[in-house]
Amino acid sequence: VEPPGGAVAEDLPGISMTDTSPATAAGTQPVFQVQRVYLKDASLEMPAAPMIFLESEGPKVDVQLEVTDAAVMDALHEVVVRVTVTAKIKDKVLFLVEGKQGGIFEMRNIPAEQKPAILGIVCPGIVYPYLRANIADRISRTGLPPIHLSEINFEAFYQQRMAALAQQATGQPPLAAQVASGNGAASA
C-alpha cells in the first residue's frame, strides 16, 4: 500500500520490511507489514452556510491532531490518526471537518521496547498521507479553496507525547499535545 505522494520510509535499528512467507514467518525474523489502511470516520459541517459565504474576511483555521493505537489480535495493531480542522470567520464556524484514518499493522518478533516508537512514529507516518488527502477532498467539496495539511514530524510529536506522559506521572501539569495553526498548516 503506497500513500499519496510516495512511500514513507522510516528506519529503526533492527527493523525492516520483511517477506512473511511461511518459511520466513516461522523463524525469528522481525516482521513489520501494513495489512490495511482505511478511512474509519469522516464528517463535515457547515452550520452557517449559506450566509457565511457573504463574509469578506478570511477564516482563522485551527488544526487538532491525535494518534491512538490498540491491539487487534496477537500480532496485529490498529493505529488511528484523527484530525479536526475548524475554520471560523469572526465567531461563526465556516466549516468543521474531522477525519479518522486507520491502519492495521502486523508486528512479529519485534523487541517490546521498540514497539511504542513504531506505533507512535512509523505507523502514523504511513497513515497520515491518506488522511491529508481525505481532509483536502472533503474541504474542496464545500466549494471553498482546499486546505492542505502540512507534513507532520511524528518523531517530534511522539517525543512531545512521551514528555507529557512523564510529566503526568510525576504530578506536573501536562504539556498540550495538540497541533494548532492559524493558516491551515499543522506542525508538531
Side-chain angles (χ1 to χ4, degrees):
V1 177
E2 186 174 313
V8 176
E10 296 287 340
D11 292 322
L12 291 178
I15 304 301
S16 62
M17 298 296 281
T18 305
D19 177 23
T20 58
S21 64
T24 305
T28 57
Q29 282 286 87
V31 175
F32 175 78
Q33 185 171 341
V34 178
Q35 294 293 319
R36 181 174 310 268
V37 175
Y38 56 95
L39 182 62
K40 189 166 184 155
D41 186 24
S43 66
L44 170 71
E45 299 174 23
M46 294 186 67
M51 297 306 291
I52 196 79
F53 295 123
L54 302 175
E55 296 285 342
S56 60
E57 187 176 322
K60 295 205 186 291
V61 179
D62 178 58
V63 178
Q64 302 294 318
L65 175 73
E66 176 184 56
V67 175
T68 59
D69 66 81
V72 175
M73 291 176 31
D74 181 37
L76 296 178
H77 299 268
E78 177 190 49
V79 173
V80 176
V81 180
R82 179 182 65 86
V83 169
T84 303
V85 181
T86 307
K88 290 184 175 183
I89 297 177
K90 298 176 185 164
D91 62 340
K92 295 179 184 172
V93 174
L94 174 60
F95 66 81
L96 181 130
V97 64
E98 180 176 88
K100 292 181 183 178
Q101 191 80 34
I104 304 281
F105 299 90
E106 179 181 3
M107 294 174 31
R108 295 185 191 278
N109 302 323
I110 294 176
E113 66 275 4
Q114 291 182 355
K115 284 184 180 180
I118 293 170
L119 292 169
I121 300 169
V122 177
C123 297
I126 293 169
V127 169
Y128 183 68
Y130 293 95
L131 181 58
R132 287 178 64 211
N134 282 319
I135 294 295
D137 181 61
R138 293 260 185 260
I139 294 170
S140 68
R141 290 178 185 269
T142 65
L144 297 168
I147 292 178
H148 296 285
L149 300 173
S150 295
E151 292 289 332
I152 299 291
N153 179 341
F154 282 104
E155 184 173 1
F157 188 75
Y158 175 77
Q159 296 299 333
Q160 182 183 14
R161 285 187 8 218
M162 292 300 101
L165 289 174
Q167 283 186 335
Q168 284 178 341
T170 61
Q172 295 177 0
L175 294 172
Q178 65 185 18
V179 178
S181 175
N183 63 2
S187 61

